[in-house]
Amino acid sequence: MSAQISMVFHKIASFWSTLNRKKTLGDDFTDTPLRKCLTTWDITLLGIGQMVGAGLFVLTGTVVRQMAGPSTVLSYVFAGFAAILSALCYAEFGARVPKAGSAYTYTYVTIGEIWGFIVGWNIVLEHLLGASSVGRAWSGALDSLFNGAIRNSTLQNVGYLSDGSPWLSEYPDFVAFTVTIVIFAIIASGAKFTLNFNSLFTIINTVVIIFLVCVGFYFADTKNWSEHGGFMPFGFGGALAGAATCFYAYIGFEGIAVSGEEAKNPEKSIPIATIIALLLVTCMYVLATTSLTLMVPYYLVDPTAAFPVAFATRGAEWAKYIVAIGTLFGITTSLLGSAYSLPRAVYSMASDGLLFRFLAYVHPRFQTPVVAIFIFGLLSAIMALLFEISTLVEFMSIGTLTAYTIVSASVIILRYLPVDKCQFKLKPEEDVSTRDENATTEDSSIIKKSKSHDDFGKLKQRLRFLPILKSFQPGNAALLAVFLLIVGIICFNATVIFGFPYLASGTWWSIILVTIFGSLIILCFLVLVAHEKNDAFLTFQIPFVPLIPTASIMCNVALMMKLSYLTWIRLGIWLIIGLVLYFAYGRHHSWERQNQQMAYSHVVSYSGKGELSSNTLSKLDEEIVQLQPNAKEKITPEQY
């Protein structure tokens, strides 16, 4: 009976280890069939273009009118702060692992295969819905130039697709379908051509934004911030709810990480492009929203065409058409960014065997994953044809925030891994014992030891007496602390956000829950700080770990909890589909599984002829004696 139980536990442990096997990075992991042709300038404009388009021209009007009023300025600041925290974590991995899979590859390398698949599956969802929603936005912007003539003509000649459905669009949007197909065809022609096209449109879009900011301040009236409900007509909660929606405007920074495999110098280009793009985009959002809310009262803002209608309200009809055309350019760059990132995320997962391998085919002439572009481009176009933009945007945000949360956790885990589990090259150890060659005291050896790579993941020298923690293997305590930290953050945010009325009224149970979960977060954070951290990577690494990743997790979880329950249900359905695909195909066709099997068969196989005699076997039987240091020899600090 005990043998059967032991066998069951062995099978469970073996199954769990296969799910958590990590992607191995060989010396040739930077080799790629894709063309390495992108400069820092190309990548920066890609990020700006993907963030500025639909976010500014589509979301701003909705958030101002229905959620936050003039305090939408703060919504963009809050969302930008959360995005910068996540982007820094992306930049660290992007410089170290310049692969098209971005967060998927980072998680696969750091945590394990099943977690990498979940993140990658969410990234595919993010870019799939991103391209579809921006295609709908492009169609809406074009229709606004013709005062709704395209919509009216479609309803008259084709009819209604649905009547008040929260899932399907009111009518089939053939314009969105067509423009999505055209953009994916451009993507298939090559990365450099795509980025040149994107750079031109991004520059034109930036000029239009500067124009609308300047003209908007010309028509500014400060009474629009002091009257009509003031700066926060929906309260601070409205500004926070607006931040959850505005976060969608920032998710384009992931396109920078996706482009790493095609960058000429990803170690420098990825961090520089990420920071510059986010700072510039945040300034654009804040200035544009300020000019809009100062031009007209928030309740007069049109959610579908905020800036053109605002200019028309102030009598500047001529500006209305300039902004409308600029909107088309801006939305086009967003569509290009999503269409560029989607097939590369699919290509990366297919290359590892977790998705069907034919999706990883790269055209020898264009050097792009043409099969993934064709299949997912068509799927994205069909979704743009059938689904409403609001449904697409909210569904996309939760998948994105999930991926960002796991990437932030991966940064913490990687920093506290022991050196024997770290796959990345490190700086040489810092030798601090050269100050006195004759120093042979015990203190000098401790100083030397405290700087050793071998200490990464262990308790700090002065804290190695701590009970419980001292019994953990290096890196395991940090891994457990990160898991409990995320649990504590989820529970803390849920209590504060959903139980805020009880907290405000001083209900005893809500105060106790906040105290318990807050204490758990602080305790886990202190456990991490008590361990030696790896700061010896050769590539870009963010400062203040684990503080910045922890703050990123806190912000992302808070934003996720502001989304509707229907969005969570849709995410659950999407994840179930992905897990079925993983266990039915990906787990068995994973390159890591095949490599492990090949390595095992190589070790156990015997290709010799004949059998070993008993005489030969007896000669192999040797006594193994552990070498001991000579007691008379002096052990120097260098021998530690």
Side-chain angles (χ1 to χ4, degrees):
M1 185 68 177
S2 60
Q4 293 176 344
I5 295 175
S6 177
M7 183 176 295
V8 170
F9 278 109
H10 175 72
K11 289 182 177 180
I12 294 174
S14 177
F15 177 73
W16 180 251
S17 66
T18 61
L19 295 184
N20 289 276
R21 58 190 168 213
K22 297 178 177 62
K23 181 179 175 64
T24 304
L25 298 179
D27 295 334
D28 59 344
F29 81 96
T30 57
D31 294 344
T32 175
L34 304 179
R35 185 183 176 193
K36 300 181 79 68
C37 58
L38 304 182
T39 64
T40 303
W41 171 255
D42 294 327
I43 298 172
T44 303
L45 288 179
L46 173 67
I48 293 174
Q50 192 169 350
M51 285 186 278
V52 158
L56 179 62
F57 296 113
V58 177
L59 288 182
T60 303
T62 301
V63 176
V64 169
R65 178 69 178 269
Q66 301 174 2
M67 297 183 180
S71 64
T72 303
V73 174
L74 294 181
S75 298
Y76 273 121
V77 172
F78 295 156
F81 177 74
I84 287 175
L85 294 176
S86 296
L88 287 171
C89 298
Y90 262 80
E92 172 162 336
F93 274 120
R96 198 169 297 140
V97 191
K99 305 298 286 183
S102 66
Y104 151 73
T105 305
Y106 313 155
T107 309
Y108 197 173
V109 171
T110 308
I111 302 180
E113 186 171 281
I114 183 66
W115 310 105
F117 180 87
I118 291 172
V119 170
W121 191 240
N122 278 333
I123 289 174
V124 170
L125 171 69
E126 170 195 336
H127 295 307
L128 181 66
L129 297 179
S132 303
S133 62
V134 178
R136 294 286 303 201
W138 199 97
S139 174
L142 180 65
D143 199 19
S144 68
L145 285 175
F146 299 100
N147 298 317
I150 298 175
R151 172 185 177 276
N152 296 332
S153 176
T154 305
L155 290 174
Q156 182 179 354
N157 294 285
V158 179
Y160 286 87
L161 184 64
S162 69
D163 187 12
S165 170
W167 296 81
L168 295 177
S169 172
E170 182 184 21
Y171 63 95
D173 196 333
F174 296 104
V175 174
F177 178 88
T178 304
V179 73
T180 303
I181 291 293
V182 170
I183 290 297
F184 273 94
I186 294 173
I187 295 297
S189 63
K192 191 62 178 179
F193 176 78
T194 301
L195 269 294
N196 288 337
F197 190 80
N198 173 82
S199 298
L200 175 62
F201 274 44
T202 300
I203 292 172
I204 295 173
N205 184 32
T206 303
V207 171
V208 172
I209 293 173
I210 294 172
F211 164 81
L212 69 86
V213 168
C214 294
V215 177
F217 278 117
Y218 175 79
F219 289 111
D221 184 356
T222 56
K223 291 181 180 179
N224 292 324
W225 277 22
S226 58
E227 300 176 359
H228 315 297
F231 183 70
M232 289 187 178
F234 297 90
F236 184 78
L240 187 60
T245 302
C246 289
F247 190 83
Y248 162 77
Y250 287 96
I251 64 175
F253 73 77
E254 191 186 352
I256 296 174
V258 170
S259 66
E261 193 162 341
E262 293 161 283
K264 292 180 179 179
N265 187 6
E267 293 82 2
K268 292 184 178 179
S269 296
I270 298 298
I272 293 173
T274 300
I275 294 170
I276 292 176
L278 273 168
L279 291 177
L280 289 177
V281 166
T282 302
C283 290
M284 290 183 193
Y285 283 150
V286 169
L287 290 173
T289 305
T290 301
S291 68
L292 174 66
T293 53
L294 285 174
M295 266 197 296
V296 294
Y298 77 91
Y299 55 83
L300 294 180
V301 172
D302 187 342
T304 58
F307 290 96
V309 173
F311 284 118
T313 302
R314 297 306 300 265
E317 290 285 344
W318 55 274
K320 167 184 173 180
Y321 294 100
I322 294 176
V323 174
I325 294 172
T327 302
L328 285 176
F329 280 105
I331 294 176
T332 301
T333 60
S334 286
L335 182 52
L336 272 169
S338 295
Y340 174 86
S341 301
L342 172 59
R344 282 157 177 80
V346 174
Y347 155 80
S348 185
M349 296 181 71
S351 298
D352 292 332
L354 301 188
L355 292 180
F356 304 108
R357 292 208 175 130
F358 66 85
L359 295 172
Y361 173 74
V362 175
H363 193 278
R365 177 184 174 187
F366 301 118
Q367 293 180 289
T368 54
V370 290
V371 177
I373 290 173
F374 174 78
I375 293 176
F376 283 85
L378 181 61
L379 181 59
S380 182
I382 292 172
M383 296 182 72
L385 175 73
L386 301 177
F387 293 103
E388 197 61 60
I389 186 172
S390 58
T391 302
L392 296 171
V393 168
E394 191 164 306
F395 189 19
M396 179 178 64
S397 295
I398 192 168
T400 305
L401 289 167
T402 302
Y404 292 175
T405 300
I406 297 178
V407 169
S408 298
S410 297
V411 170
I412 303 176
I413 293 171
L414 178 62
R415 290 295 189 91
Y416 291 98
L417 281 180
V419 69
D420 61 305
K421 294 182 180 180
C422 181
Q423 300 190 57
F424 305 103
K425 293 182 179 180
L426 304 176
K427 297 175 184 176
E429 294 188 20
E430 183 181 349
D431 190 354
V432 297
S433 62
T434 56
R435 70 180 78 177
D436 185 0
E437 295 182 356
N438 297 322
T440 56
T441 64
E442 185 177 358
D443 290 340
S444 66
S445 65
I446 292 177
I447 294 174
K448 170 63 179 173
K449 189 68 178 174
S450 69
K451 295 290 184 179
S452 171
H453 290 177
D454 294 333
D455 279 348
F456 295 152
K458 297 179 181 179
L459 280 170
K460 292 180 178 178
Q461 193 72 243
R462 62 183 181 276
L463 300 176
R464 292 187 179 176
F465 63 88
L466 290 176
I468 301 178
L469 290 180
K470 65 182 181 181
S471 62
F472 281 90
Q473 292 296 318
N476 289 348
L479 185 63
L480 179 61
V482 171
F483 173 75
L484 295 177
L485 178 72
I486 295 175
V487 172
I489 288 174
I490 292 173
C491 296
F492 181 85
N493 280 338
T495 305
V496 172
I497 292 174
F498 300 119
F500 183 77
Y502 300 99
L503 283 171
S505 61
T507 307
W508 65 270
W509 60 264
S510 62
I511 296 175
I512 291 176
L513 287 179
V514 167
T515 303
I516 292 174
F517 297 137
S519 300
L520 177 62
I521 295 171
I522 294 172
L523 177 63
C524 293
F525 188 85
L526 292 176
V527 168
L528 292 171
V529 173
H531 289 78
E532 291 287 355
K533 179 176 59 180
N534 185 352
D535 285 327
F537 295 105
L538 293 173
T539 53
F540 171 78
Q541 49 192 7
I542 61 174
F544 307 117
V545 174
L547 180 60
I548 287 181
T550 301
S552 175
I553 295 171
M554 180 76 78
C555 293
N556 293 337
V557 171
L559 293 175
M560 290 170 70
M561 290 184 176
K562 299 299 292 186
L563 299 172
S564 69
Y565 74 94
L566 282 176
T567 303
W568 284 89
I569 293 174
R570 293 168 192 150
L571 177 65
I573 295 172
W574 176 257
L575 288 178
I576 290 172
I577 295 172
L579 290 175
V580 169
L581 179 61
Y582 171 75
F583 285 107
Y585 180 87
R587 178 171 171 265
H588 302 286
H589 293 81
S590 165
W591 275 117
E592 289 303 318
R593 177 178 181 270
Q594 296 184 16
N595 289 338
Q596 289 176 2
Q597 289 180 337
M598 291 175 61
Y600 177 76
S601 63
H602 177 73
V603 170
V604 302
S605 62
Y606 171 68
S607 58
K609 297 180 180 180
E611 297 182 354
L612 294 176
S613 65
S614 59
N615 184 40
T616 304
L617 290 173
S618 64
K619 292 180 180 179
L620 296 176
D621 193 11
E622 297 179 358
E623 181 182 4
I624 300 174
V625 180
Q626 184 177 0
L627 294 177
Q628 301 292 335
N630 190 336
K632 296 181 180 180
E633 291 180 359
K634 185 177 182 180
I635 300 177
T636 63
E638 287 75 11
Q639 292 176 298
Y640 275 88

